[in-house]
Amino acid sequence: MTDSAQTIAQLIEAGANDDTALTAPTGVPLTYGALRTQVASTVVALNARGIGPGDRVAIVLDNGPEMAAAFLGIGAGATAAPLNPSYRADEFEFYLTDLRAKLLVIADGKDTPAEAVATKLGVPIARLVAHPGR
């Protein structure tokens, strides 16, 4: 039996630049070329914050293309830990503490109790700004 384990970068490298990688009913399809660029820039941004492989980044985003892209980008440079946006504050406190999260990613402009919990715990927060038109 051969080992078929691959990295995220290797998996998304398989798509042709102009082929659709991610799409949603209300957005413009994201090509593999654009996804590769976005993943690479996410890894650079994480590294600039001192976050790298083995560090945990909690993600609190609704399901959709932004969550998918964030998961891939973060997972390429760190350990992505998606959390249910419906959790209550006490659940976020448990998971952010248990994960020893080095960063919390939330949607810009969307209220979530995760933000107050992260602030209380001293976990830095990054706000994802969606651009559905691109």
Side-chain angles (χ1 to χ4, degrees):
M1 184 166 158
T2 62
D3 182 12
S4 62
Q6 294 181 320
T7 66
I8 290 172
Q10 290 169 330
L11 290 171
I12 64 174
E13 193 60 40
N17 276 345
D18 294 332
D19 286 351
T20 299
L22 296 173
T23 190
T26 59
V28 174
L30 184 67
T31 66
Y32 276 96
L35 179 60
R36 284 190 285 271
T37 298
Q38 189 172 42
V39 165
S41 66
T42 300
V43 172
V44 167
L46 289 170
N47 291 163
R49 289 177 173 255
I51 297 170
D55 292 325
R56 295 171 190 99
V57 176
I59 309 168
V60 178
L61 299 170
D62 292 330
N63 288 335
E66 290 83 12
M67 173 56 161
F71 181 80
L72 291 171
I74 293 165
T79 300
L83 300 178
N84 187 334
S86 299
Y87 283 158
R88 299 179 318 267
D90 62 323
E91 293 169 305
F92 282 123
E93 185 163 357
F94 171 79
Y95 285 112
L96 290 174
T97 301
D98 190 52
L99 288 167
R100 295 184 312 269
K102 292 194 80 175
L103 181 68
L104 169 67
V105 176
I106 60 174
D108 188 50
K110 182 165 183 181
D111 291 333
T112 173
E115 184 174 3
V117 170
T119 299
K120 172 185 167 187
L121 297 174
V123 176
I125 300 168
R127 289 169 179 78
L128 183 131
V129 178
H131 296 283
R134 59 181 172 124

